Amino acid sequence: IKLKPNDQNWLKHSYTEMAKMFIKQNQPDSALAMLNKSSAFSLDVNDEVGYQSIKNNIEAQSFLQKQKPELAIQSASECLKCAKLGGTPALLLDAYIISYKANAAMGNYKDAYSFQTQYLKMKDSLFSSESADMLTRVESDFNREKEQLEIKALKEKEKLRTILIYSFILSTLLFILVSLLFYNRIKTKQKTNNIISKEKERSENLLLNMLPAEVAEELKETGSAKAKSFENVSVIFTDFVGFTLISEKLTPQQLVQEIHYCFTAFDEIIERNGLEKIKTIGDAYLAVCGMPIENKDHAIKTVQVAIEIMEFINKREVEGGQFKLRIGINSGPVVAGIVGVKKFAYDIWGDTVNTAARMEQQSKNGKINISGSTYQLVKDKFNCVYRGKIEAKNKGEVDMYFVEGKIVN
């Protein structure tokens, strides 16, 4: 039977998707067999680079499952080459991930770390670009509306001037008419001022959504904000478990809607307990307590927030939510400031932030993992289970504890 081009493309995509399924089920031989069948059908030239990227990615995963890291590295290298040549951002992110896994399995930790770093930079860059574009669009809309209102006010002024000239001729009747028009002008001006005031308020609220109130005020008054050190804060990281696999089961609209629902709840919990949201990075959420206003109970408040967030996720799962969560917390000093000039972002840096990220990475599904420094600040308020000294990337062995709940008096 002679297949039409569209049928051939459909079959090729179908066998490729079956190969992905067998990889997830840890059946590398079946996955490679599906790839061989897929290669038997022609594909449009415009899609060939993307297909080759997917094909090499699946082959690399198969070789990793067969414990053949040398072959996995070769396939991962071809995958990355194709993704850079003409793949989508999603394919390039997948290429970085498989390159990281292959090199790590081979013991090439330096290269593995490089690929992981490129993946995180690209992921963070995509998120930062989207946020900056949204702010630019809002500012552009505001300036356009303001210009239109100013033009309208100028036209009203010219109209009033003409009416005043004719008022000398038309006597009392025209004078009454001018008075009415003047009254309408005052109302229009008040309405215009109200609109401008509301737009200004909306812009200021948008700025406050991006920056702490103290930093936003400093930025408005001086045009810049100085970086500052804070000696005693607690940093919290959250991350969804198995996010990539879950995202494949949902439509883009469902995925974004679920993330938005969860992060909106996180925002409410964070604000209610006096923490400062720093940013979201893909499916990760970063916040801090104890800055820019100092708080001696920063660790206690942060652990309480973690418990409330975990309770929300557990409740959401019962309601049909897809995500599971792990949380990490660390306490210590940080440096905070604004990065950039136009597309700026408020951020925090320091070993305390890095260690908090390691706490999250070493946590478990549904668990809150805290460092020894945080434990010393909350041990009288919360039940904690010592996990021992656990190896953390670039940190060595670190004391870690799971928070089990509040201490009941």
Side-chain angles (χ1 to χ4, degrees):
I1 299 174
K2 186 175 181 180
L3 297 174
K4 296 179 181 179
N6 287 340
D7 295 332
Q8 292 178 338
N9 290 336
W10 181 84
L11 285 170
K12 191 159 193 172
H13 282 299
S14 297
Y15 281 123
T16 302
E17 291 301 316
M18 292 175 69
K20 293 180 181 179
M21 179 186 70
F22 281 119
I23 279 294
K24 292 177 182 178
Q25 295 177 352
N26 198 22
Q27 299 182 39
D29 291 332
S30 298
L32 292 174
M34 291 300 103
L35 280 179
N36 290 333
K37 289 186 178 181
S38 176
S39 300
F41 299 96
S42 63
L43 190 67
D44 290 340
V45 175
N46 293 335
D47 194 41
E48 188 60 26
V49 172
Y51 168 74
Q52 288 298 329
S53 178
I54 296 172
K55 176 178 178 295
N56 287 313
N57 193 305
I58 294 174
E59 287 180 344
Q61 293 184 65
S62 297
F63 289 131
L64 283 177
Q65 291 175 357
K66 290 184 173 184
Q67 298 184 352
K68 295 181 179 180
E70 301 91 346
L71 297 177
I73 287 179
Q74 295 177 11
S75 295
S77 178
E78 291 298 320
C79 172
L80 185 59
K81 187 186 299 181
C82 291
K84 287 182 176 179
L85 184 62
T88 63
L91 290 177
L92 187 55
L93 285 173
D94 288 343
Y96 282 138
I97 292 174
I98 191 61
S99 298
Y100 155 71
K101 291 180 178 179
N103 280 275
M106 189 66 184
N108 299 334
Y109 298 111
K110 182 178 180 180
D111 292 338
Y113 175 76
S114 176
F115 286 123
Q116 185 189 43
T117 300
Q118 293 178 71
Y119 165 76
L120 294 174
K121 284 183 178 179
M122 182 178 179
K123 188 176 180 183
D124 187 51
S125 175
L126 289 173
F127 171 78
S128 299
S129 177
E130 291 172 0
S131 298
D133 288 344
M134 181 181 68
L135 177 60
T136 300
R137 287 196 299 272
V138 171
E139 291 178 341
S140 177
D141 291 341
F142 170 73
N143 290 332
R144 183 168 59 254
E145 291 179 11
K146 182 179 179 181
E147 182 179 0
Q148 291 174 350
L149 291 172
E150 290 174 347
I151 292 174
K152 184 177 180 180
L154 287 174
K155 289 182 178 179
E156 289 292 331
K157 185 177 181 180
E158 291 297 325
K159 183 177 180 180
L160 178 60
R161 183 180 301 165
T162 301
I163 293 172
L164 289 174
I165 293 174
Y166 279 100
S167 67
F168 290 102
I169 301 172
L170 297 178
S171 187
T172 305
L173 181 61
L174 291 181
F175 176 78
I176 296 174
L177 179 60
V178 169
S179 298
L180 292 173
L181 290 173
F182 185 75
Y183 175 78
N184 289 335
R185 177 180 176 273
I186 293 175
K187 287 294 184 181
T188 302
K189 186 176 181 180
Q190 289 177 344
K191 184 178 180 180
T192 300
N193 290 337
N194 289 337
I195 293 174
I196 294 175
S197 178
K198 288 180 180 179
E199 292 299 328
K200 181 180 178 181
E201 182 180 358
R202 187 173 71 173
S203 296
E204 290 181 351
N205 287 337
L206 180 60
L207 190 63
L208 289 174
N209 283 337
M210 299 177 61
L211 303 173
E214 292 76 12
V215 177
E217 193 63 30
E218 181 181 358
L219 187 64
K220 287 191 296 182
E221 291 179 358
T222 66
S224 63
K226 296 180 180 179
K228 296 180 180 179
S229 297
F230 300 89
E231 294 302 317
N232 298 295
V233 304
S234 289
V235 179
I236 177 173
F237 264 101
T238 77
D239 195 38
F240 292 127
V241 179
F243 178 80
T244 301
L245 294 178
I246 295 173
S247 64
E248 293 175 354
K249 300 176 183 178
L250 303 175
T251 66
Q253 293 79 8
Q254 290 173 329
L255 179 63
V256 173
Q257 183 178 7
E258 185 65 17
I259 294 175
H260 174 73
Y261 183 86
C262 292
F263 281 179
T264 299
F266 290 9
D267 290 344
E268 188 277 329
I269 296 171
I270 289 290
E271 183 176 1
R272 174 161 43 80
N273 286 278
L275 274 70
E276 192 68 44
K277 176 183 178 182
I278 300 301
K279 61 183 175 181
T280 57
I281 311 168
D283 60 312
Y285 190 103
L286 171 62
V288 63
C289 185
M291 57 159 284
I293 300 176
E294 295 182 359
N295 190 321
K296 62 183 180 62
D297 297 325
H298 57 88
I300 295 173
K301 284 185 171 292
T302 303
V303 173
Q304 178 60 38
V305 161
I307 292 174
E308 290 188 31
I309 287 176
M310 196 64 75
E311 288 174 349
F312 165 79
I313 288 297
N314 292 337
K315 180 180 178 182
R316 180 62 178 164
E317 184 178 1
V318 174
E319 297 171 347
Q322 299 290 320
F323 295 137
K324 299 180 184 297
L325 194 70
R326 60 173 176 254
I327 298 177
I329 300 174
N330 182 43
S331 302
V334 299
V335 174
I338 294 178
V339 180
V341 178
K342 292 184 177 180
K343 299 179 179 180
F344 54 80
Y346 189 73
D347 210 343
I348 57 177
W349 302 271
D351 186 67
T352 298
V353 182
N354 298 333
T355 302
R358 299 295 178 265
M359 292 302 103
E360 177 271 316
Q361 293 166 2
Q362 293 297 329
S363 188
K364 302 293 183 181
N365 178 21
K367 292 292 187 179
I368 302 168
N369 190 36
I370 65 174
S371 65
S373 61
T374 302
Y375 170 74
Q376 294 301 323
L377 298 173
V378 303
K379 61 183 179 180
D380 296 328
K381 297 292 184 179
F382 298 93
N383 289 316
C384 300
V385 177
Y386 182 55
R387 303 177 62 193
K389 290 185 178 295
I390 298 177
E391 184 72 18
K393 185 176 180 181
N394 298 329
K395 301 296 298 180
E397 292 186 341
V398 180
D399 289 321
M400 298 186 190
Y401 301 78
F402 277 150
V403 177
E404 297 296 331
K406 286 186 176 180
I407 294 177
V408 179
N409 294 327

